[in-house]
Amino acid sequence: MPRPGAALLLCLVLLSLPEPPAAESPLQLPTPQNVTIYSYNYQNLLTWAPVKVDNGSVLYTVQYNTLACDWWEEINCTNITKTECNFTDPDIKRFWTITLRVRAELGQVKSDWVETNKFVADKNTTIGPPVIVNVDSTPDSLFLNFLHTVKEDTLQYLVRYWEQSTNKQHETEWTKNTRIGLLNLKQLTVYCFQIRAKVQVFDDNIGPLSKTKCHKTAASGAMRAGFVVVIFVAATVTVVILAIVCFLFIQKFHQVVKYWFQPPFKIPPHIGEYLKGAEMPVLEELQNNCAEEDPWDSLSVFSSAEESQSLVSDTLNTNVHSNSRSIESEKT
């Protein structure tokens, strides 16, 4: 048996020896960065920056839990290659308070989990403005008809409006109706408006205002009648002025107008060819006579009553003699 001193010395030597190196654990992936939740009209999206590695394709897994349940559950984002996860899941209620977490995986190598802040869709989603379908205009009001992509009974709407020429703004009351009237307006005036929506919860989630749109109010019946009268009077005055201008133009340029409507006589070409073959220069004589003649505008006949009666009697006697002569010739 070894002596006690030797045994003690051996124990001291063994204790002084360094410990053997432990087995190396696999390398750990870096955690995803910039983990952010985006939510618009209850469409929920979790995004993060990609984890870069030298070799291989990194996969990601997303889980969630609620205040009522202390364990983590998977959603439709397990072993995915995309750096985003749409967690608009009907099983995840809008009023639940949830927390999400994401990690990177490369084979057996995994990163640590990265958790998000607590998220409640009813409070944290952005409620966008509704879409205006049409605007009905009357002389003293505008009626806005709109729809929203979110079908939720807790949605309410408000309209901010103002006259385009001023900066004084007005707001309607919050209402669930999808038709809002802007009343007591000026006729034939342009008004601009914006609309917004909110979710009525414990802390109201009010969405942003829509883009500015403008519309003009209509005219009243009396004003439309006045416009018709003004247009009729203006048209009548215009016609009278044009008639006076035309009359003065004709009076001043009488010869020119007469020349336009009574151009110089010209012998037709086929008659001219025929006359060229005649012995007498008839064509030249006709043309010269026509050029020298000044056509009359009117013809006036003045006669006394006695001359008219004698003219009628002479005409009748002439007709009787001519008829008797024709009858005698037929007998012979």
Side-chain angles (χ1 to χ4, degrees), residues 249-273:
F249 179 82
I250 293 173
Q251 291 294 323
K252 185 174 183 179
F253 301 98
H254 176 72
Q255 296 297 330
V256 176
V257 174
K258 186 171 67 174
Y259 176 80
W260 287 347
F261 288 96
Q262 295 180 357
F265 173 75
K266 291 184 180 180
I267 298 176
H270 62 280
I271 298 177
E273 294 293 333

Side-chain angles (χ1 to χ4, degrees), residues 25-325:
S25 60
L27 296 176
Q28 192 174 29
L29 288 177
T31 58
Q33 302 296 317
N34 300 327
V35 180
T36 309
I37 294 177
Y38 295 97
S39 182
Y40 187 84
N41 286 341
Y42 293 103
Q43 298 299 311
N44 309 321
L45 188 68
L46 177 68
T47 64
W48 58 88
V51 175
K52 297 180 180 180
V53 295
D54 294 335
N55 297 315
S57 177
V58 177
L59 302 178
Y60 305 94
T61 297
V62 179
Q63 296 178 346
Y64 79 96
N65 72 359
T66 66
L67 291 179
C69 302
D70 195 21
W71 60 85
W72 293 91
E73 297 186 24
E74 293 184 351
I75 50 180
N76 57 345
C77 298
T78 301
N79 295 330
I80 61 174
T81 57
K82 297 188 299 182
T83 59
E84 63 181 28
C85 173
N86 189 330
F87 61 98
T88 308
D89 195 322
D91 293 334
I92 303 176
K93 306 302 179 183
R94 297 176 179 177
F95 55 87
W96 284 1
T97 301
I98 67 171
T99 303
L100 292 95
R101 66 180 186 178
V102 59
R103 74 177 180 185
E105 303 175 358
L106 181 61
Q108 299 299 323
V109 183
K110 298 178 175 59
S111 71
D112 292 333
W113 291 99
V114 179
E115 295 185 6
T116 65
N117 297 326
K118 297 185 185 304
F119 173 80
V120 181
D122 276 341
K123 294 182 179 180
N124 301 123
T125 192
T126 299
I127 301 297
V131 178
I132 296 178
V133 179
N134 68 295
V135 179
D136 298 327
S137 177
T138 66
D140 61 349
S141 59
L142 294 174
F143 293 91
L144 314 183
N145 302 281
F146 50 88
L147 293 175
H148 205 287
T149 56
V150 177
K151 306 299 180 183
E152 181 61 43
D153 294 337
T154 59
L155 280 178
Q156 294 188 3
Y157 310 97
L158 174 143
V159 177
R160 178 180 295 175
Y161 63 99
W162 61 95
E163 190 176 337
Q164 190 179 42
S165 59
T166 65
N167 294 323
K168 186 178 180 180
Q169 296 183 347
H170 308 273
E171 288 187 350
T172 63
E173 299 291 335
W174 288 100
T175 178
K176 292 184 178 181
N177 296 328
T178 56
R179 177 181 171 87
I180 297 179
L182 311 180
L183 308 178
N184 300 323
L185 307 180
K186 301 177 183 177
Q187 61 179 338
L188 289 179
T189 305
V190 178
Y191 285 87
C192 298
F193 48 85
Q194 294 175 305
I195 189 169
R196 72 194 324 169
K198 75 172 182 178
V199 179
Q200 189 177 12
V201 290
F202 298 105
D203 295 327
D204 289 344
N205 181 4
I206 301 176
L209 289 165
S210 65
K211 294 182 179 179
T212 301
K213 291 189 176 182
C214 299
H215 203 85
K216 191 176 184 179
T217 54
S220 63
M223 182 169 287
R224 285 195 294 267
F227 284 157
V228 172
V229 172
V230 170
I231 293 173
F232 176 77
V233 171
T236 304
V237 172
T238 303
V239 171
V240 172
I241 292 175
L242 289 176
I244 295 174
V245 171
C246 292
F247 177 76
L248 296 176
F249 179 82
I250 293 173
Q251 291 294 323
K252 185 174 183 179
F253 301 98
H254 176 72
Q255 296 297 330
V256 176
V257 174
K258 186 171 67 174
Y259 176 80
W260 287 347
F261 288 96
Q262 295 180 357
F265 173 75
K266 291 184 180 180
I267 298 176
H270 62 280
I271 298 177
E273 294 293 333
Y274 172 77
L275 295 176
K276 284 181 180 179
E279 295 180 358
M280 295 179 63
V282 181
L283 180 61
E284 295 180 359
E285 184 177 355
L286 289 175
Q287 290 178 347
N288 292 332
N289 292 336
C290 293
E292 293 176 358
E293 290 180 354
D294 187 10
W296 295 90
D297 292 336
S298 61
L299 178 63
S300 301
V301 178
F302 298 92
S303 63
S304 62
E306 296 178 355
E307 291 177 353
S308 299
Q309 291 178 358
S310 62
L311 179 61
V312 170
S313 61
D314 293 341
T315 304
L316 292 175
N317 294 330
T318 304
N319 292 336
V320 170
H321 290 300
S322 61
N323 290 334
S324 61
R325 290 175 183 175

